[in-house]
Structures are given as structure tokens and as C-alpha cells.
Amino acid sequence: MRTIAILLIALCSVLSFGQTKNEGEVLLDEVQPDDTHCAGETIKVNAKVQGDLIVAGGNLFVNDSILGDLTAAGGELFLNGYIADDARMAVGRVVVDSEIGDDLVIFGGEVILTENAIVQGNLRCFAGNIEMNGKVIGKLDIKGTDILINGTVKETSKIVGEDISIGSNAQFHKDVKYWNSHGEIDFSTTLINSRAQWNEELEADASQLSLISYGTRSLKLWGGYILSAFLAILFLHTLFRNTFTNAAEGLEGNWLKSFGFGLIYLVGIPLAVIMALLVAIGIPLSLFITAIFIFSLLFGHYIASLMMVYYFKHKKEKPWGFWSITLLALVCTVLLRLLTMIPWVGIVLSVIVLTITYGALTLTAFRTKKEQVKS
């Protein structure tokens, strides 16, 4: 498993061709008296936010206190300020060097909690590489590839990973259940009046780290799926609302044309990759294109949902705002996920929706480039 955010950023490099607005760097250096949400390539929060903070961007720096919740999606996040309530994030790489007043939920590629990190609630983490050197007052529930625990956990722990390492400074004050691909591991003196149990049943959780299967294997996982879908939609919508607006307007009366261009995208990209692989100099390019193509398929439901909501908004002239569209897109995402669970018919309909969506985005990208050339 790798990171949700890295996949999103790679996908956004495709969508950015049709984007007409780039907010660049956002600097918050004055006290924010209420809830705040912003997006940009780089975001620096250097002043107190007296409500919730929602941010999306490439590089995120939170250097002052947030008196509400923190919701973040992006490439890299450096969390140096106090968070009074919950923190939820989907990022490529995150470094937590501060105190979280309640629960911390992370979807990421690389997650580092320093020695100064304190989570007053529970820590839930789904990531590639995880390094926990701080203190968790609540429960620990982490799943990843390479995991290092070298901090303190006050309540029960559940750890699932391909390779788990226990540092000399680790302390577990309640029982630990774990699964490691290499079998049982030595917790040595890190258990404080507690015990560690290797649980073979947790191996199923390791297989559920897949982005494709996540959210469909059991009802219990739907909560996590909806959260990750919300963060993904929020990220895409915040940064690329102009793209979806333009694509939805261009879709009017161009359904067949969009479907045709979508087929070219879905069939032509694999053919282009094969052609590039035949030329030695084209191997790096082919690998990049392959990654973008796979990412676009993995996150196609999020993009298609936003497209459907924007098209309906344009068609019916609905006065929907940012949050209304985001939540409606989340509902559409869940419906599309359920649709794919219907044998044959559901999958075919889902493919048709994705084809039209990417066809409309491709047409928008072409129109944007033509306008830029003319100007």
C-alpha cells in the first residue's frame, strides 16, 4: 500500500491541464476568528485559528494553534502547532511534532510522530511507512508496510504490518494484538503489566489495505471508506472546481463526443505506454503515464461524482455552494461504489460513467490549450 495523497497529487497533474486558476502560496499570519478553509500549492499557518481548519495543497505547514478540528489533504504536512480537537489527514508525508487534543486519523505514505508528539485520544493510522516516537494516551490502531514503534501507548494496541520493529524506548501499558508477516516478534521489556499476542486473524486486515478493496470487504470498513472518500473529494473539489465547472458546461450536448474521447483515453493510454516501452528513452515516460493512468482509474469514482453533481447543477441551475456540492459528490461516490457490486450490469454502467467523465475532462483540456494558444 502507498499513500492516498500521493495518488491524488499524481492524478491532479492530469486535471491541472484544464485548470484555469492557481492560488499558489497561501499565508495565514493573522488570527482567524472562525472556521477557515483554503487551498494552494503551499499553505503556511502561522497564526491561531479559533475554529476548524480545512486545508488542501502540495506543502502544508501548521505552525500555530487550531482551536477546533484539523482536516488536511496534500503532499507533505508539517504539524508543529497544537490541535485542540480531532485531526484527520490524507497526505503523502506527514511529520507530527505537536499535541493533538483528541483523536488523530491519518491516511498517508510516510507518517512520523516525533518525540514531542502527544495524542490525547486514539491514533488510527493507515500508511506505508509509520514511525511512532511520541505518546498516545488512547488506543493505537495502525496498519502499514514498515512500522516502528518507539513511543508510549497508554491503552490497548492493534498493529498490522509487513515488517514491525519495536524500539528500546517503546512502552505498552495495555495489551497488544499484532500481525507481522515474519511471525512473532520480541517486545522485550516494553510491556508494562501487559502482554503481546500475535493474532493470525489480523492477516485479513493486511489484505484490506488495498485501495481497490478498501470499503467493500465488510460493513465495518465503510466508515473508513467514507472518510477517505470525503477527504479525496474535498481535495479535488477545493483545488479543481474550475475544471469541473468547465467540463460540466462542455458536456451539454456532447455526450457521444465525450464518450468517444473517453474511449480514446482508456484505450489509447495503454497503447501509448506499450509504444513508449519499445523505445529505451521512453521507459521513464511510460512509467509515469502508467502511474497516472492507474491513479485515474483508482480515483475515478470521486472525479465522476463531482462531474455528475456539477452537470446537474448546471443543467438545473441549482444554487449549490461548495459544501453542498462536496457532500452530494460523496453521496454519489457511495452509490457508484454500491453500483459496482452488482455483477456485470453495475460494472458496465460504472465504466460508461468513467468513460464519459474522462472524455469531458479531455475535451476541456483541449479547449483550454486552444484558448491559450490563441491568446
Side-chain angles (χ1 to χ4, degrees), residues 332-353:
C332 289
T333 298
V334 174
L335 293 176
L336 282 174
R337 174 67 75 176
L338 293 172
L339 182 65
T340 58
M341 300 173 68
I342 302 174
W344 299 110
V345 175
I347 295 176
V348 170
L349 290 176
S350 179
V351 169
I352 292 174
V353 171

PDB file of all heavy atoms in Angstrom, residues 332-353:
ATOM      1  N   CYS A 332     -22.889  10.481  -4.159  1.00  0.00           N
ATOM      2  CA  CYS A 332     -22.766   9.836  -5.473  1.00  0.00           C
ATOM      3  C   CYS A 332     -21.639   8.805  -5.477  1.00  0.00           C
ATOM      4  O   CYS A 332     -21.749   7.752  -6.119  1.00  0.00           O
ATOM      5  CB  CYS A 332     -22.505  10.890  -6.552  1.00  0.00           C
ATOM      6  SG  CYS A 332     -23.917  11.948  -6.915  1.00  0.00           S
ATOM      7  N   THR A 333     -20.550   9.097  -4.775  1.00  0.00           N
ATOM      8  CA  THR A 333     -19.428   8.156  -4.701  1.00  0.00           C
ATOM      9  C   THR A 333     -19.864   6.846  -4.058  1.00  0.00           C
ATOM     10  O   THR A 333     -19.525   5.752  -4.533  1.00  0.00           O
ATOM     11  CB  THR A 333     -18.266   8.767  -3.911  1.00  0.00           C
ATOM     12  OG1 THR A 333     -17.792   9.937  -4.589  1.00  0.00           O
ATOM     13  CG2 THR A 333     -17.129   7.776  -3.766  1.00  0.00           C
ATOM     14  N   VAL A 334     -20.586   6.942  -2.954  1.00  0.00           N
ATOM     15  CA  VAL A 334     -21.068   5.738  -2.270  1.00  0.00           C
ATOM     16  C   VAL A 334     -22.012   4.951  -3.177  1.00  0.00           C
ATOM     17  O   VAL A 334     -21.947   3.716  -3.258  1.00  0.00           O
ATOM     18  CB  VAL A 334     -21.767   6.117  -0.948  1.00  0.00           C
ATOM     19  CG1 VAL A 334     -22.403   4.885  -0.308  1.00  0.00           C
ATOM     20  CG2 VAL A 334     -20.779   6.758   0.017  1.00  0.00           C
ATOM     21  N   LEU A 335     -22.880   5.665  -3.893  1.00  0.00           N
ATOM     22  CA  LEU A 335     -23.820   4.993  -4.806  1.00  0.00           C
ATOM     23  C   LEU A 335     -23.070   4.292  -5.942  1.00  0.00           C
ATOM     24  O   LEU A 335     -23.424   3.173  -6.334  1.00  0.00           O
ATOM     25  CB  LEU A 335     -24.818   5.999  -5.372  1.00  0.00           C
ATOM     26  CG  LEU A 335     -25.808   6.601  -4.361  1.00  0.00           C
ATOM     27  CD1 LEU A 335     -26.685   7.652  -5.034  1.00  0.00           C
ATOM     28  CD2 LEU A 335     -26.677   5.510  -3.734  1.00  0.00           C
ATOM     29  N   LEU A 336     -22.026   4.945  -6.466  1.00  0.00           N
ATOM     30  CA  LEU A 336     -21.236   4.315  -7.523  1.00  0.00           C
ATOM     31  C   LEU A 336     -20.505   3.087  -7.007  1.00  0.00           C
ATOM     32  O   LEU A 336     -20.375   2.081  -7.711  1.00  0.00           O
ATOM     33  CB  LEU A 336     -20.228   5.321  -8.093  1.00  0.00           C
ATOM     34  CG  LEU A 336     -20.777   6.366  -9.070  1.00  0.00           C
ATOM     35  CD1 LEU A 336     -19.695   7.365  -9.434  1.00  0.00           C
ATOM     36  CD2 LEU A 336     -21.324   5.695 -10.325  1.00  0.00           C
ATOM     37  N   ARG A 337     -20.011   3.164  -5.768  1.00  0.00           N
ATOM     38  CA  ARG A 337     -19.352   2.003  -5.175  1.00  0.00           C
ATOM     39  C   ARG A 337     -20.319   0.846  -5.033  1.00  0.00           C
ATOM     40  O   ARG A 337     -19.982  -0.306  -5.322  1.00  0.00           O
ATOM     41  CB  ARG A 337     -18.772   2.390  -3.825  1.00  0.00           C
ATOM     42  CG  ARG A 337     -18.182   1.240  -3.029  1.00  0.00           C
ATOM     43  CD  ARG A 337     -16.946   0.665  -3.699  1.00  0.00           C
ATOM     44  NE  ARG A 337     -15.806   1.556  -3.521  1.00  0.00           N
ATOM     45  CZ  ARG A 337     -14.589   1.267  -3.930  1.00  0.00           C
ATOM     46  NH1 ARG A 337     -14.369   0.135  -4.571  1.00  0.00           N
ATOM     47  NH2 ARG A 337     -13.598   2.106  -3.746  1.00  0.00           N
ATOM     48  N   LEU A 338     -21.533   1.140  -4.588  1.00  0.00           N
ATOM     49  CA  LEU A 338     -22.553   0.094  -4.483  1.00  0.00           C
ATOM     50  C   LEU A 338     -22.923  -0.447  -5.861  1.00  0.00           C
ATOM     51  O   LEU A 338     -23.184  -1.639  -6.022  1.00  0.00           O
ATOM     52  CB  LEU A 338     -23.789   0.639  -3.775  1.00  0.00           C
ATOM     53  CG  LEU A 338     -23.623   0.995  -2.288  1.00  0.00           C
ATOM     54  CD1 LEU A 338     -24.863   1.707  -1.783  1.00  0.00           C
ATOM     55  CD2 LEU A 338     -23.348  -0.258  -1.466  1.00  0.00           C
ATOM     56  N   LEU A 339     -22.941   0.444  -6.865  1.00  0.00           N
ATOM     57  CA  LEU A 339     -23.289   0.038  -8.220  1.00  0.00           C
ATOM     58  C   LEU A 339     -22.304  -0.990  -8.759  1.00  0.00           C
ATOM     59  O   LEU A 339     -22.702  -1.956  -9.431  1.00  0.00           O
ATOM     60  CB  LEU A 339     -23.325   1.265  -9.141  1.00  0.00           C
ATOM     61  CG  LEU A 339     -23.728   1.027 -10.602  1.00  0.00           C
ATOM     62  CD1 LEU A 339     -25.176   0.556 -10.679  1.00  0.00           C
ATOM     63  CD2 LEU A 339     -23.543   2.309 -11.418  1.00  0.00           C
ATOM     64  N   THR A 340     -21.029  -0.804  -8.466  1.00  0.00           N
ATOM     65  CA  THR A 340     -20.010  -1.734  -8.970  1.00  0.00           C
ATOM     66  C   THR A 340     -20.123  -3.114  -8.335  1.00  0.00           C
ATOM     67  O   THR A 340     -19.540  -4.076  -8.844  1.00  0.00           O
ATOM     68  CB  THR A 340     -18.595  -1.191  -8.709  1.00  0.00           C
ATOM     69  OG1 THR A 340     -18.416  -0.978  -7.300  1.00  0.00           O
ATOM     70  CG2 THR A 340     -18.375   0.120  -9.437  1.00  0.00           C
ATOM     71  N   MET A 341     -20.852  -3.221  -7.240  1.00  0.00           N
ATOM     72  CA  MET A 341     -21.025  -4.510  -6.583  1.00  0.00           C
ATOM     73  C   MET A 341     -22.107  -5.351  -7.251  1.00  0.00           C
ATOM     74  O   MET A 341     -22.269  -6.527  -6.923  1.00  0.00           O
ATOM     75  CB  MET A 341     -21.338  -4.302  -5.096  1.00  0.00           C
ATOM     76  CG  MET A 341     -20.232  -3.563  -4.335  1.00  0.00           C
ATOM     77  SD  MET A 341     -20.659  -3.123  -2.641  1.00  0.00           S
ATOM     78  CE  MET A 341     -20.734  -4.750  -1.881  1.00  0.00           C
ATOM     79  N   ILE A 342     -22.857  -4.751  -8.189  1.00  0.00           N
ATOM     80  CA  ILE A 342     -23.848  -5.508  -8.951  1.00  0.00           C
ATOM     81  C   ILE A 342     -23.142  -6.221 -10.101  1.00  0.00           C
ATOM     82  O   ILE A 342     -22.471  -5.566 -10.909  1.00  0.00           O
ATOM     83  CB  ILE A 342     -24.943  -4.579  -9.520  1.00  0.00           C
ATOM     84  CG1 ILE A 342     -25.634  -3.813  -8.384  1.00  0.00           C
ATOM     85  CG2 ILE A 342     -25.966  -5.373 -10.324  1.00  0.00           C
ATOM     86  CD1 ILE A 342     -26.625  -2.780  -8.871  1.00  0.00           C
ATOM     87  N   PRO A 343     -23.212  -7.536 -10.177  1.00  0.00           N
ATOM     88  CA  PRO A 343     -22.481  -8.270 -11.223  1.00  0.00           C
ATOM     89  C   PRO A 343     -22.816  -7.768 -12.625  1.00  0.00           C
ATOM     90  O   PRO A 343     -23.971  -7.543 -12.962  1.00  0.00           O
ATOM     91  CB  PRO A 343     -22.940  -9.715 -11.007  1.00  0.00           C
ATOM     92  CG  PRO A 343     -23.393  -9.781  -9.583  1.00  0.00           C
ATOM     93  CD  PRO A 343     -23.986  -8.431  -9.302  1.00  0.00           C
ATOM     94  N   TRP A 344     -21.786  -7.601 -13.434  1.00  0.00           N
ATOM     95  CA  TRP A 344     -21.853  -7.272 -14.851  1.00  0.00           C
ATOM     96  C   TRP A 344     -22.516  -5.917 -15.113  1.00  0.00           C
ATOM     97  O   TRP A 344     -21.858  -4.988 -15.573  1.00  0.00           O
ATOM     98  CB  TRP A 344     -22.571  -8.375 -15.632  1.00  0.00           C
ATOM     99  CG  TRP A 344     -21.881  -9.703 -15.558  1.00  0.00           C
ATOM    100  CD1 TRP A 344     -22.305 -10.826 -14.893  1.00  0.00           C
ATOM    101  CD2 TRP A 344     -20.620 -10.042 -16.138  1.00  0.00           C
ATOM    102  NE1 TRP A 344     -21.396 -11.842 -15.028  1.00  0.00           N
ATOM    103  CE2 TRP A 344     -20.337 -11.390 -15.798  1.00  0.00           C
ATOM    104  CE3 TRP A 344     -19.690  -9.353 -16.919  1.00  0.00           C
ATOM    105  CZ2 TRP A 344     -19.199 -12.051 -16.197  1.00  0.00           C
ATOM    106  CZ3 TRP A 344     -18.536 -10.008 -17.324  1.00  0.00           C
ATOM    107  CH2 TRP A 344     -18.300 -11.346 -16.967  1.00  0.00           C
ATOM    108  N   VAL A 345     -23.806  -5.807 -14.858  1.00  0.00           N
ATOM    109  CA  VAL A 345     -24.524  -4.575 -15.189  1.00  0.00           C
ATOM    110  C   VAL A 345     -23.928  -3.387 -14.462  1.00  0.00           C
ATOM    111  O   VAL A 345     -23.676  -2.328 -15.059  1.00  0.00           O
ATOM    112  CB  VAL A 345     -26.030  -4.713 -14.849  1.00  0.00           C
ATOM    113  CG1 VAL A 345     -26.746  -3.386 -15.088  1.00  0.00           C
ATOM    114  CG2 VAL A 345     -26.654  -5.818 -15.679  1.00  0.00           C
ATOM    115  N   GLY A 346     -23.691  -3.544 -13.175  1.00  0.00           N
ATOM    116  CA  GLY A 346     -23.135  -2.453 -12.392  1.00  0.00           C
ATOM    117  C   GLY A 346     -21.765  -2.035 -12.875  1.00  0.00           C
ATOM    118  O   GLY A 346     -21.460  -0.839 -12.971  1.00  0.00           O
ATOM    119  N   ILE A 347     -20.946  -3.014 -13.192  1.00  0.00           N
ATOM    120  CA  ILE A 347     -19.590  -2.710 -13.660  1.00  0.00           C
ATOM    121  C   ILE A 347     -19.635  -1.999 -15.008  1.00  0.00           C
ATOM    122  O   ILE A 347     -18.904  -1.031 -15.246  1.00  0.00           O
ATOM    123  CB  ILE A 347     -18.767  -4.001 -13.756  1.00  0.00           C
ATOM    124  CG1 ILE A 347     -18.578  -4.596 -12.344  1.00  0.00           C
ATOM    125  CG2 ILE A 347     -17.410  -3.742 -14.408  1.00  0.00           C
ATOM    126  CD1 ILE A 347     -17.870  -5.924 -12.328  1.00  0.00           C
ATOM    127  N   VAL A 348     -20.495  -2.462 -15.906  1.00  0.00           N
ATOM    128  CA  VAL A 348     -20.613  -1.843 -17.233  1.00  0.00           C
ATOM    129  C   VAL A 348     -21.064  -0.393 -17.109  1.00  0.00           C
ATOM    130  O   VAL A 348     -20.501   0.514 -17.747  1.00  0.00           O
ATOM    131  CB  VAL A 348     -21.588  -2.642 -18.118  1.00  0.00           C
ATOM    132  CG1 VAL A 348     -21.899  -1.864 -19.392  1.00  0.00           C
ATOM    133  CG2 VAL A 348     -20.999  -4.005 -18.459  1.00  0.00           C
ATOM    134  N   LEU A 349     -22.095  -0.142 -16.293  1.00  0.00           N
ATOM    135  CA  LEU A 349     -22.587   1.220 -16.109  1.00  0.00           C
ATOM    136  C   LEU A 349     -21.512   2.112 -15.496  1.00  0.00           C
ATOM    137  O   LEU A 349     -21.358   3.280 -15.878  1.00  0.00           O
ATOM    138  CB  LEU A 349     -23.832   1.208 -15.225  1.00  0.00           C
ATOM    139  CG  LEU A 349     -25.096   0.610 -15.842  1.00  0.00           C
ATOM    140  CD1 LEU A 349     -26.228   0.571 -14.820  1.00  0.00           C
ATOM    141  CD2 LEU A 349     -25.529   1.401 -17.076  1.00  0.00           C
ATOM    142  N   SER A 350     -20.760   1.549 -14.554  1.00  0.00           N
ATOM    143  CA  SER A 350     -19.690   2.311 -13.931  1.00  0.00           C
ATOM    144  C   SER A 350     -18.620   2.689 -14.948  1.00  0.00           C
ATOM    145  O   SER A 350     -18.119   3.824 -14.951  1.00  0.00           O
ATOM    146  CB  SER A 350     -19.057   1.496 -12.788  1.00  0.00           C
ATOM    147  OG  SER A 350     -18.005   2.210 -12.176  1.00  0.00           O
ATOM    148  N   VAL A 351     -18.278   1.762 -15.833  1.00  0.00           N
ATOM    149  CA  VAL A 351     -17.279   2.037 -16.874  1.00  0.00           C
ATOM    150  C   VAL A 351     -17.777   3.126 -17.818  1.00  0.00           C
ATOM    151  O   VAL A 351     -17.015   4.009 -18.233  1.00  0.00           O
ATOM    152  CB  VAL A 351     -16.938   0.749 -17.643  1.00  0.00           C
ATOM    153  CG1 VAL A 351     -16.113   1.067 -18.887  1.00  0.00           C
ATOM    154  CG2 VAL A 351     -16.192  -0.226 -16.750  1.00  0.00           C
ATOM    155  N   ILE A 352     -19.070   3.079 -18.162  1.00  0.00           N
ATOM    156  CA  ILE A 352     -19.642   4.103 -19.046  1.00  0.00           C
ATOM    157  C   ILE A 352     -19.540   5.488 -18.399  1.00  0.00           C
ATOM    158  O   ILE A 352     -19.172   6.476 -19.051  1.00  0.00           O
ATOM    159  CB  ILE A 352     -21.111   3.764 -19.384  1.00  0.00           C
ATOM    160  CG1 ILE A 352     -21.176   2.509 -20.268  1.00  0.00           C
ATOM    161  CG2 ILE A 352     -21.789   4.941 -20.089  1.00  0.00           C
ATOM    162  CD1 ILE A 352     -22.584   2.027 -20.529  1.00  0.00           C
ATOM    163  N   VAL A 353     -19.879   5.563 -17.117  1.00  0.00           N
ATOM    164  CA  VAL A 353     -19.800   6.841 -16.401  1.00  0.00           C
ATOM    165  C   VAL A 353     -18.370   7.364 -16.394  1.00  0.00           C
ATOM    166  O   VAL A 353     -18.121   8.554 -16.652  1.00  0.00           O
ATOM    167  CB  VAL A 353     -20.315   6.679 -14.959  1.00  0.00           C
ATOM    168  CG1 VAL A 353     -20.022   7.935 -14.136  1.00  0.00           C
ATOM    169  CG2 VAL A 353     -21.819   6.404 -14.953  1.00  0.00           C
TER     170      VAL A 353
END
